[in-house]
Amino acid sequence: MTSMTAPKTAAPSERQVTPGRKRSIVARRLVPYGYLSPTVLLIVVLMVVPIVMVISYSFRDNVIVQENSVFAGFANYTKVLTDPDFLVALKNTAIFISVSTVAHLVLGLAFAMMLNTQLLGGVTKAIFRIVYILPWLFTIAVIAVIWRLLLDPSGVINYMLHTLGVVQQGVDWLGDPGKALWAVTFVNIWSGYPFFMISLLAGLQGIPGDLYEAAAVDGTNWWQRFVHVTLPQLRPVIISMAVLDLIWTSQQFALIWMMTGGGPLHATEMLSTYTYKQAFSEYEFATASAAAVIVLLLTMVLAFFYVRQQGSGETHGHLHQDPPHPRQGRRHHRARHRRAVRRPAGPVDALHLVQGQRRRLRQPAEAHHQDLLARRLPGDPG
C-alpha cells in the first residue's frame, strides 16, 4: 500500500521575491532619502564645502591672491594668536558678549514678569507688549543708523543730558575710545532683549499656579517664591537662551561695522571685524582663514554645551517619570516616609497638601465619610 503525500507548498514568507517586487521595495526604502537629498545638498554646498576650504586655506600661504599657494603649517595660527590686534579683539568680544547676555537675561526676565503679573489690565499689558517688542522689529541697519544719529555729539541724547544738567557739552559716544565699546554694547542690549522677554514670558505662563499656591500656604514671601519656584522652573529656558545668546552675540558684525567699524583705535574691534579686515582690507586671506577657524572652534565649544544641556534636560525629565522598581516594596516606602518626617515641610509638601484637599473636596460627602471610616484604626474611638 503506497502512501500518497501532498506536495509541500512554500510558505508566503519563503516565496521567491520577483525582481519587480524587489525593485519596488528598494524604491520605497529610498523615498525618505530622496526627500532629504535637497536639504543635504544645500548643507554640503553652503556649509561643509566652505568650511573645508577655509580650513585648508588656514594652513597655506598666498591663497586666492596668487595662483600657486604654499603650505605654511601652523604659521598663520601663530601669527594670529600673537597679533596684538587679535588679542584686543578677543578681549572686546568677551566683554561685549558677557555684558550683553547678562543684561538681556535681567531685562528680559524683569519685563516678562511685569507682563505676566495680575496687577496690570489687559489693555495696559498690550500697550507694554507693543512698546517692549519694538526694538526686535527693526533691522540691524536701521538700528545702527538710528543710534548713530541719537549718539551724535549734537544728537538727541546729548541734548537731553545737557538740558538735565548732566553734561556741559556734547559727548562723542562713538568717537571716544573709553566710551565707544559701552555705547555699542548698550545698543546691542536694547536691540536684543525682546527675544529673551518673549521666551521667558512663555516659560512663566507655563508654570503651574499650584506651585505658587503651595508656596503661599507654606508661608513664603514673593522673593522666596521667585527664588525657589520661578527660577527653578525657568532654569532650562534660561540656560538654553543664555548659550544661544552667547553664540549669536559672538557673531555680531553688522551692528559694530555700521556704527564704529571697529574703531576708534580698535576700541570696538571684535573677532568678526578683525577677520573681515584681514580678508578684505589687508587681503591676508590665509590669516583671515586662521582667525575664522579659531572663531569656529570657540563657537563649537558653546554649541557643545548647548547640545549637552538640551540632552541632559530631556534625560532629566525622563528620569523623573520612571516608576520605582517593584522589588523595592515596603522597605522603599518606609524609607520615603522616614525622609518625609525628618525634612522640614517645603513647597512640594504644601503642594501635595493642597492637591489632596482639592481631591477630598471634590468627593461626595458620603464617600469621604466612608474613606475616613476605612482609614480609622481598630483601636481609635468611634
Side-chain angles (χ1 to χ4, degrees):
M1 183 176 181
T2 61
S3 60
M4 301 293 294
T5 58
K8 293 183 179 180
T9 59
S13 59
E14 297 178 356
R15 292 175 182 173
Q16 186 176 4
V17 180
T18 60
R21 186 177 180 184
K22 184 181 295 185
R23 284 194 297 270
S24 64
I25 294 175
V26 174
R28 284 198 301 268
R29 290 180 179 179
L30 292 178
V31 166
Y33 299 99
Y35 289 135
L36 291 175
S37 58
T39 304
V40 173
L41 181 62
L42 287 176
I43 292 176
V44 171
V45 173
L46 300 179
M47 291 184 62
V48 177
V49 173
I51 290 175
V52 173
M53 291 177 63
V54 169
I55 294 175
S56 64
Y57 288 164
S58 67
F59 290 101
R60 306 186 70 83
D61 197 7
N62 298 327
V63 295
I64 298 180
V65 294
Q66 295 186 8
E67 184 178 358
N68 297 322
S69 60
V70 295
F71 182 76
F74 291 93
N76 293 321
Y77 292 94
T78 305
K79 180 180 178 181
V80 170
L81 294 175
T82 56
D83 188 359
D85 293 341
F86 176 81
L87 299 179
V88 172
L90 184 62
K91 182 192 72 172
N92 292 338
T93 304
I95 296 173
F96 182 71
I97 64 175
S98 58
V99 175
S100 297
T101 303
V102 173
H104 285 162
L105 175 60
V106 173
L107 291 177
L109 182 58
F111 292 148
M113 293 186 65
M114 191 185 75
L115 294 177
N116 193 52
T117 183
Q118 302 298 327
L119 302 178
L120 300 178
V123 178
T124 307
K125 287 183 179 180
I127 295 174
F128 278 118
R129 279 193 180 98
I130 296 173
V131 173
Y132 290 153
I133 207 174
L134 276 178
W136 204 24
L137 301 179
F138 299 121
T139 61
I140 294 297
V142 174
I143 292 173
V145 172
I146 290 175
W147 278 100
R148 283 192 65 178
L149 296 175
L150 292 175
L151 296 174
D152 190 77
S154 58
V156 177
I157 300 297
N158 283 307
Y159 174 77
M160 295 175 60
L161 295 177
H162 180 71
T163 303
L164 296 174
V166 179
V167 296
Q168 299 300 324
Q169 58 182 0
V171 179
D172 193 0
W173 297 100
L174 299 177
D176 188 349
K179 299 181 178 65
L181 178 60
W182 302 109
V184 296
T185 303
F186 173 80
V187 176
N188 184 70
I189 293 170
W190 179 84
S191 64
Y193 79 86
F195 185 68
F196 265 74
M197 182 190 69
I198 294 174
S199 301
L200 293 174
L201 179 60
L204 287 172
Q205 293 176 349
I207 299 177
D210 292 341
L211 295 177
Y212 292 105
E213 295 178 6
V217 170
D218 203 38
T220 59
N221 54 31
W222 69 271
W223 176 252
Q224 291 173 330
R225 290 193 292 272
F226 173 74
V227 173
H228 298 287
V229 178
T230 304
L231 287 183
Q233 293 294 317
L234 293 179
R235 180 176 176 272
V237 180
I238 290 174
I239 295 177
S240 300
M241 293 303 303
V243 177
L244 286 177
D245 195 39
L246 287 172
I247 296 174
W248 294 336
T249 309
S250 65
Q251 300 173 355
Q252 182 65 268
F253 170 78
L255 182 66
I256 305 297
W257 187 255
M258 297 186 68
M259 291 191 69
T260 62
L265 301 177
H266 304 288
T268 60
E269 193 78 273
M270 304 292 168
L271 293 176
S272 56
T273 58
Y274 173 85
T275 305
Y276 181 85
K277 289 179 180 179
Q278 289 293 319
F280 300 105
S281 295
E282 304 293 335
Y283 298 104
E284 295 285 347
F285 291 100
T287 306
S289 300
V293 172
I294 294 174
V295 174
L296 175 64
L297 294 177
L298 295 176
T299 307
M300 289 181 63
V301 172
L302 296 175
F304 168 77
F305 284 108
Y306 173 74
V307 174
R308 182 178 180 182
Q309 190 276 330
Q310 293 293 316
S312 64
E314 295 178 1
T315 306
H316 185 69
H318 290 302
L319 289 177
H320 277 285
Q321 296 176 0
D322 290 339
H325 196 274
R327 293 185 179 180
Q328 292 176 345
R330 297 181 179 178
R331 184 181 302 175
H332 170 72
H333 293 291
R334 284 198 296 268
R336 287 184 59 187
H337 177 70
R338 285 196 298 269
R339 289 194 297 268
V341 171
R342 290 175 184 173
R343 68 180 181 184
V348 178
D349 304 310
L351 174 62
H352 293 323
L353 176 62
V354 172
Q355 292 176 346
Q357 289 175 351
R358 288 182 176 179
R359 285 195 297 269
R360 287 195 295 271
L361 289 175
R362 285 196 295 264
Q363 290 177 353
E366 295 152 350
H368 183 54
H369 181 66
Q370 293 295 332
D371 183 59
L372 292 177
L373 291 178
R375 294 188 180 188
R376 190 178 61 188
L377 297 177
D380 291 344

